[in-house]
Amino acid sequence: MTVIDVMCEMTAVVWKLEKSVGQTVSEGDIVMVLESMKMEIPVEAPSSGRITEMLAAEGDSVSEGDVLMRIEAEA
Amino acid sequence: MRKLLIANRGEIARRIIRSARAREIATVAVYSEIDARSLHVADADEAIAIGPAPARQSYLDAGKVVEAATASGADAIHPGYGFLSENAEFAEAVMDAGLIWVGPAPDTLRSMGDKDRARRIAASAGVPVVPGSPRIETGSKVDLEALAREVGFPLLVKSSAGGGGIGMRRVDSYDRLADTVSATASMAEKSFGDGTVFLERFVPRARHVEIQVFGFGNGEAIHLFERDCSLQRRFQKVIEESPAPKFTEKLRADMTAAAVALCRATKYAGAGTVEFILDVKTEEFFFLEMNTRIQVEHPVTEMVTGRDLVGMQLDFARGALFSVDQAAIESSGHAVQCRLYAENPSKSFMPSPGTLNRFKLPAPDLTLRVDCGYREGDMVSPHYDPMIAKIIAHGADRETACRRAIAALKEIEVEGIATNRDFLLACLESTAFRAGEVHTGFIEEHKSGLLAATVAIP
C-alpha cells in the first residue's frame, strides 16, 4: 500500500473539508477547499484511494509544504 | 466632524487618513491582531484592536467596529471599500449610535446591493440595461429554456446577492443551462445565504467602462468622467485608466448622462460609481451595477480631475459641501493605475501570501502616485485582499502616462513573495494595449504572449 501525502501549496486557511477519514476518493475529486486572499482554492485528490488521516481542520492556518491529509492509494 | 474612525485596513485606510488630516479631523484606526504593527495603525492618531485575523471576527464585525468608535469618542465612520462598506445594517448601526456615516443612505446600499433590484431601478430611470430574466428562487419550477430564449446566448447565471464576480457562471447553450443554474444557486446559498439567481445576456467582446459620480442627496448630482477598467483577471480589475481609450465624445456624453440620471432618480448621496459594459462591436452600453462606495481605482479620476474624492465624501458628510458645478469639473491629460497583487501569474494568478523580505517602491512625484499599505518586512496575510500597492501615473496623453507607469513599475523590487509586477509590465508594453484595444477578455486572449513576455522581463 502506498500512502500519499496531500500537500498544501500555499499559505491559506482551511475553509471546508469536503471528505473525511475513511472515505474513498477518486483522483481529481475535491477533498478540501482552502481560502486565501478572498479566493477559494480547491484541493484535489492526487490519486484514487481511501483517506486514512486528516491533518487539517476547518479554520486552521496552513502553509506551503504542510501535509493536509493522507490517502492510501489503490493498488 | 472632529474624530473619524476608519473601518478598514491597508492603503485605503491610509488614503482616508490623509484627507481627514488635511481637514484637521482626528483619526482612529481599527486593526486585527496580525495588523497591530501595520502602516495604517501607525498613521492614525489612535488605534483600537477589534479581534483576531479572520475578517469575520474583526473587520467584518459591525458590533466591534461601532463599539470601537464609541469607546474612542469618534463621531464619524468611513468604511473605505470592501468589508462593511456596502452593508446597510452596518450603516444603520452607525447612525443609530449617533455617529455620522460617510456613505450613501442605508436604503440606497440595500437597493443597489441587490443587483436585480438595482437593474430595475436603473431601467426605470431610463438607463439601458442588459437583457435579463426575473429572479429564479431556489427550487422554483420555472421554464428555464423559455427564460434563456428571451435573454439570448451566451448568458451568465448570476446570484442576486454577492459581488465582485463571485457567483457568476457562463452558459453557451441549452444543455448546460439547468445544471449551471442549480450549481450557481447552491454556491450562492452557501456563500451568501441566498440562493436566488437570474440570467443575463453576456456580451462576448465587452469593455468595462464606469462613471464616477457624486450625488448631493437632493436629486442633484455630477459626474467626474469615466474610467476604463477592462483589463481584468477572474473578474477582478488589474489596470484602470481615464479617459477611456477609443471612446467617442458621443459615448462619453451618453454614458455620463445615464449615470447622472440614475443618481438624480435615486437622490443619491455621496460618491459612487455606475458601472457599464460596453459592447465593442455595436458600441451599445448597458448598466452593470452601481458601487455605493469609494472605489479602489478612484485615484485615476483624482489624477485627471485634480479633485479629492475622499475629501468630498468627508465634506459632504459633515455638511460642508452642498453642490458642485458640473462645468467646473474638467479632465486633463491621462492617468493609468496598475494594481500590484501578491499573486503568481504563471500559476493561474494564484494568491501568493507571505513576507515582503524586500520591498522597494518608486518615489511619488507630480506625475506619479503610489498608494500602499505595506512596508519591507510586513506580512501579506492570506486573510485579506491580495492587493499590495497601486501605482498611478499621469501624463499629457495616454502614451506618456503608460511610459511613466512602465518606468515606475520597473523600479519596484519585491522579494519573498510572487507578484504580478512583470505581468503588469507585459500588459502595458503589449502592442494591443498600447493601441487601446482593451476588452474584458484581453488577458485571457493574450495570456500566452503576456506570460512569455513576463518571463523575459529581467
Side-chain angles (χ1 to χ4, degrees):
Chain A
M1 279 299 168
T2 325
V3 176
I4 290 166
D5 292 345
V6 180
M7 307 291 285
C8 180
E9 291 185 351
M10 63 193 317
T11 306
V13 179
V14 179
W15 187 53
K16 219 165 44 170
L17 301 180
E18 297 285 2
K19 304 282 178 190
S20 51
V21 173
Q23 273 187 289
T24 319
V25 295
S26 307
E27 186 179 332
D29 279 2
I30 293 168
V31 290
M32 183 183 286
V33 183
L34 305 177
E35 188 186 354
S36 188
M37 301 182 144
K38 305 204 295 187
M39 217 187 129
E40 289 171 27
I41 298 129
V43 178
E44 294 178 0
S47 66
S48 302
R50 195 174 58 88
I51 300 173
T52 54
E53 218 178 333
M54 189 64 77
L55 298 155
E58 286 177 10
D60 279 3
S61 292
V62 289
S63 307
E64 188 178 346
D66 286 358
V67 180
L68 299 171
M69 65 175 75
R70 294 202 166 94
I71 295 175
E72 199 178 78
E74 280 169 359
Chain B
M1 198 184 292
R2 293 165 292 102
K3 197 190 258 195
L4 176 73
L5 180 136
I6 298 101
N8 219 298
R9 64 184 298 282
E11 66 89 15
I12 193 63
R14 305 187 71 203
R15 161 75 190 87
I16 295 162
I17 290 169
R18 282 202 299 277
S19 283
R21 192 155 283 156
R23 285 159 180 76
E24 296 183 321
I25 299 167
T27 53
V28 184
V30 290
Y31 62 96
S32 71
E33 276 162 20
I34 52 164
D35 277 344
R37 277 175 300 277
S38 69
L39 283 171
H40 81 279
V41 171
D43 283 1
D45 297 318
E46 52 190 289
I48 296 182
I50 50 164
R56 280 175 290 274
Q57 296 166 53
S58 49
Y59 298 106
L60 281 170
D61 188 327
K64 281 185 190 158
V65 173
V66 173
E67 207 176 289
T70 316
S72 65
D75 55 4
I77 293 185
H78 193 308
Y81 54 69
F83 295 129
L84 295 164
S85 61
E86 292 174 288
N87 185 313
E89 287 74 39
F90 175 61
E92 276 164 354
V94 170
M95 290 156 84
D96 287 347
L99 309 170
I100 300 170
W101 164 249
V102 184
D107 278 347
T108 309
L109 303 185
R110 209 167 267 128
S111 52
M112 290 303 167
D114 181 330
K115 288 178 220 161
D116 187 38
R117 247 173 96 188
R119 194 174 57 175
R120 278 184 278 127
I121 293 168
S124 65
V127 178
V129 298
V130 187
S133 77
R135 303 155 70 104
I136 306 165
E137 311 281 345
T138 326
S140 64
K141 293 266 172 279
V142 291
D143 187 348
L144 286 176
E145 294 204 358
L147 290 181
R149 198 170 308 123
E150 251 174 67
V151 170
F153 288 108
L155 57 80
L156 289 175
V157 183
K158 295 174 135 187
S159 63
S160 281
I166 303 158
M168 203 188 276
R169 287 161 207 240
R170 180 178 166 167
V171 183
D172 290 330
S173 60
Y174 290 111
D175 56 320
R176 299 288 304 138
L177 185 63
D179 284 354
T180 311
V181 167
S182 56
T184 311
S186 82
M187 202 284 243
E189 180 71 50
K190 269 183 275 176
S191 306
F192 317 114
D194 177 3
T196 310
V197 298
F198 61 95
L199 312 181
E200 192 172 270
R201 170 102 69 79
F202 179 65
V203 180
R205 189 169 276 237
R207 287 170 62 182
H208 174 119
V209 183
E210 58 187 30
I211 306 294
Q212 174 70 52
V213 290
F214 203 98
F216 299 95
N218 56 359
E220 285 305 306
I222 56 158
H223 71 82
L224 295 97
F225 302 99
E226 80 280 2
R227 293 184 289 257
D228 186 301
C229 313
S230 296
L231 256 64
Q232 306 185 356
R233 52 111 188 89
R234 291 197 317 257
F235 295 106
Q236 295 287 332
K237 297 162 187 169
V238 176
I239 294 178
E240 298 107 333
E241 60 183 311
S242 186
K246 295 190 168 178
F247 199 62
T248 62
E249 273 308 321
K250 172 164 176 21
L251 267 175
R252 180 170 293 116
D254 291 349
M255 201 181 278
T256 53
V260 169
L262 179 59
C263 295
R264 288 197 175 126
T266 54
K267 290 196 164 53
Y268 193 82
T273 296
V274 186
E275 297 189 336
F276 296 97
I277 58 166
L278 171 63
D279 190 319
V280 171
K281 205 165 155 194
T282 65
E283 296 212 329
E284 286 172 287
F285 64 85
F286 305 113
F287 173 78
L288 200 54
E289 62 180 355
M290 179 161 195
N291 294 321
T292 51
R293 51 169 159 82
I294 194 75
Q295 278 193 276
V296 177
E297 60 272 28
H298 77 275
V300 162
T301 300
E302 295 186 328
M303 290 290 263
V304 291
T305 62
R307 301 281 166 161
D308 173 354
L309 286 166
V310 173
M312 285 171 71
Q313 286 186 300
L314 295 175
D315 288 343
F316 178 68
R318 64 180 180 157
L321 179 73
F322 303 98
S323 73
V324 173
D325 184 6
Q326 180 69 67
I329 306 290
E330 285 173 23
S331 176
S332 159
H334 198 101
V336 56
Q337 168 174 296
C338 303
R339 298 192 191 188
L340 187 70
Y341 284 119
E343 67 182 17
N344 193 335
S346 49
K347 276 193 187 171
S348 52
F349 303 100
M350 276 290 153
S352 61
T355 304
L356 293 163
N357 295 327
R358 180 165 172 73
F359 189 42
K360 202 179 138 284
L361 290 173
D365 60 31
L366 280 176
T367 59
L368 185 74
R369 172 170 166 181
V370 179
D371 285 16
C372 179
Y374 296 94
R375 58 175 155 352
E376 199 164 282
D378 281 353
M379 157 94 176
V380 183
S381 158
H383 290 283
Y384 313 116
D385 194 273
M387 196 179 72
I388 321 173
K390 308 189 296 201
I391 310 297
I392 312 105
H394 186 264
D397 51 43
R398 187 169 189 265
E399 215 19 56
T400 313
C402 285
R403 279 201 299 265
R404 284 185 175 141
I406 289 168
L409 286 170
K410 283 185 171 164
E411 281 186 53
I412 297 176
E413 290 173 37
V414 183
E415 278 170 30
I417 61 167
T419 74
N420 66 336
R421 182 199 83 138
D422 293 351
F423 187 79
L424 289 167
L425 277 168
C427 289
L428 288 177
E429 287 178 338
S430 72
T431 329
F433 182 83
R434 293 297 261 281
E437 286 160 9
V438 292
H439 61 99
T440 53
F442 181 95
I443 288 178
E444 200 48 47
E445 184 183 314
H446 298 282
K447 201 148 108 194
S448 54
L450 291 170
L451 288 175
T454 298
V455 177
I457 290 163

